[in-house]
Amino acid sequence: MDWTYREIHRQPQTFRETLHALNAEKNRFFSFLEESFDEFIFTGCGTSYNLSLTAAHLWQSIAYIPARGVPASEVFLFPQGILLPARRYLFFAISRSGETTETVKALEFFASSCTGKTVGVTCEPHSTLAQRAESALVFPSAHEESVVMTQSFSTMLLGLLFGALTSQKREAILSPLPEMVERSLLHEEKTVQDLASSSHFHKFIFLGNGPYYGIAWEGSLKLKEMSLAPTETFHFLEFRHGPKSIVDEHTLIVALTSSSAFSYEKEVLQEMVGLGASIFHLGAQSLSLPRTTEILFGEAGKEDPLRLILDVVFLQLLGYFRAKHQGLNPDEPRHLTKVVKL
Ligand code: F1P
């Protein structure tokens, strides 16, 4: 097998190593949280921007700190829409490589013109980002050879989740994660491979609410990067306001349902099945709808922080297996390089 597959499957082990390091050094890792800030900004590019969307939602909803996720280029191109002179920010710059031009530029712009502290979140300890940020959350066990990001995304998300949760919740919610991922991969990988290998689907819609929106975007990007499939991403109810016009019998809707909005999300999916779509559902409980493939996580699936990582592992596999079905090499995605330097 190739790098991308191997690194998707290494995630349980990488999570064990990362949780061990986080528990051993949590005070050093998160010492910057002892100070107070008016707002958290999470920023990155591509996959790392998708991570910023989810991290911002999580931090605000768990830690009650105003937080937002923005593309790194917006920080220095349109700062007036993001940063206010009187506010004190904790600025998280997220980058697997720690070398992406826009992300390093965003960090430097913030450091030179705003009040607060910078945190580099990366997998590369010797990277520009790790060196230039005032603090660094570094996850070397998630180092990747693959061009597309897989375990780097889920591990940096795990690290940011760890920081947002209280110590009791960390133990209860995060410690079962590696074994849950391992078990789910064992039982459900074939489900994803069969779905990815169907020639029936020509367009792919990803739906997610709240913290799942960033994960839906990441699944959409994985499928596009590796298999060149046309994909779009929406909040569930937003899809009704026009974009649903494209739904037909060759549409696969990848639905990441939540517990808090499940009834609304199910209603949208019911309507789309009625328009001819098929569904790939990741959630806690069954939708009981026709033309629906499901991976269900039961009671554990009601814990959003756990589900976000469980879901993204299967979305990575969806992109990987579709690429293989198309005769493409996931390790060499068209037009892409491992790091984008302008
Ligand atoms: C971000 C990124 C990825 C993309 C590709 C190239 O890199 O743009 O989002 O999928 O792998 O790099 P980084 O800033 O996280 O290193």
Side-chain angles (χ1 to χ4, degrees):
M1 284 292 177
D2 38 44
W3 285 116
T4 307
Y5 185 81
R6 286 194 338 220
E7 285 161 357
I8 291 173
H9 267 267
R10 195 192 188 275
Q11 288 177 103
Q13 182 53 27
T14 302
F15 297 160
R16 283 191 185 91
E17 292 167 7
T18 302
L19 284 171
H20 177 75
L22 285 164
N23 279 307
E25 303 185 57
K26 51 181 165 285
N27 299 331
R28 182 182 66 76
F29 260 103
F30 297 100
S31 57
F32 48 79
L33 289 176
E34 283 150 22
E35 300 180 42
S36 69
F37 300 94
D38 299 311
E39 184 174 359
F40 284 10
I41 298 286
F42 295 86
T43 194
C45 297
T47 289
S48 297
Y49 168 52
N50 298 336
L51 175 50
S52 300
L53 289 174
T54 289
H57 192 283
L58 277 170
W59 269 89
Q60 179 157 326
S61 54
I62 293 175
Y64 306 111
I65 296 167
R68 68 188 287 201
V70 295
S73 53
E74 285 289 289
V75 172
F76 57 87
L77 294 175
F78 291 92
Q80 64 279 19
I82 298 170
L83 300 162
L84 292 169
R87 308 206 92 186
R88 189 168 191 297
Y89 294 96
L90 186 56
F91 187 87
F92 291 85
I94 302 171
S95 173
R96 165 184 67 177
S97 62
E99 301 300 343
T100 295
T101 303
E102 299 104 296
T103 311
V104 173
K105 213 168 154 60
L107 180 92
E108 289 168 347
F109 175 89
F110 177 85
S112 65
S113 53
C114 299
T115 309
K117 284 201 111 161
T118 57
V119 182
V121 184
T122 182
C123 301
E124 302 303 330
H126 307 297
S127 62
T128 305
L129 193 74
Q131 307 302 322
R132 293 203 187 149
E134 290 168 88
S135 298
L137 294 179
V138 185
F139 303 102
S141 57
H143 169 82
E144 283 170 338
E145 295 305 325
S146 61
V147 171
V148 300
M149 293 169 65
T150 56
Q151 66 173 355
S152 56
F153 174 92
S154 53
T155 304
M156 291 193 287
L157 174 56
L158 176 59
L160 290 169
L161 259 174
F162 188 97
L165 291 166
T166 60
S167 48
Q168 304 89 313
K169 285 247 173 185
R170 284 171 189 162
E171 185 52 37
I173 295 178
L174 299 182
S175 49
L177 177 71
E179 202 271 328
M180 275 195 75
V181 173
E182 220 151 46
R183 196 173 62 241
S184 306
L185 280 171
L186 195 64
H187 296 131
E188 302 290 358
E189 179 169 22
K190 182 87 174 52
T191 305
V192 181
Q193 185 171 12
D194 293 346
L195 188 64
S197 308
S198 161
S199 302
H200 180 65
F201 303 117
H202 304 163
K203 50 188 128 173
F204 303 82
I205 305 293
F206 289 75
L207 301 181
N209 285 332
Y212 295 93
Y213 184 61
I215 305 297
W217 261 112
E218 179 53 14
S220 172
L221 181 61
K222 286 287 94 58
L223 189 66
K224 194 190 298 277
E225 284 180 324
M226 287 191 270
S227 77
L228 313 182
T231 66
E232 291 187 78
T233 308
F234 301 92
H235 292 92
F236 274 82
L237 277 67
E238 273 304 297
F239 187 54
R240 272 204 183 109
H241 295 269
K244 72 175 181 180
S245 57
I246 64 160
V247 170
D248 62 19
E249 68 278 15
H250 298 294
T251 304
L252 180 68
I253 295 180
V254 182
L256 313 183
T257 59
S258 65
S259 297
S260 55
F262 185 72
S263 58
Y264 288 93
E265 294 157 349
K266 178 171 180 176
E267 220 178 277
V268 170
L269 297 172
Q270 206 145 16
E271 181 185 344
M272 299 314 143
V273 167
L275 296 177
S278 298
I279 309 288
F280 176 31
H281 174 221
L282 294 157
Q285 60 193 62
S286 176
L287 290 168
S288 309
L289 290 175
R291 291 197 310 283
T292 298
T293 302
E294 298 190 301
I295 295 183
L296 302 175
F297 299 103
E299 273 311 296
K302 293 181 175 173
E303 282 295 353
D304 293 342
L306 208 52
R307 263 285 307 290
L308 298 170
I309 295 180
L310 284 165
D311 286 6
V312 81
V313 171
F314 288 102
L315 299 181
Q316 293 163 358
L317 284 173
L318 182 69
Y320 172 82
F321 284 123
R322 178 127 188 116
K324 297 298 272 188
H325 171 70
Q326 308 277 79
L328 299 169
N329 178 359
D331 276 2
E332 293 172 7
R334 189 171 69 170
H335 304 334
L336 297 191
T337 55
K338 198 171 170 192
V339 185
V340 175
K341 295 195 80 148
L342 304 179

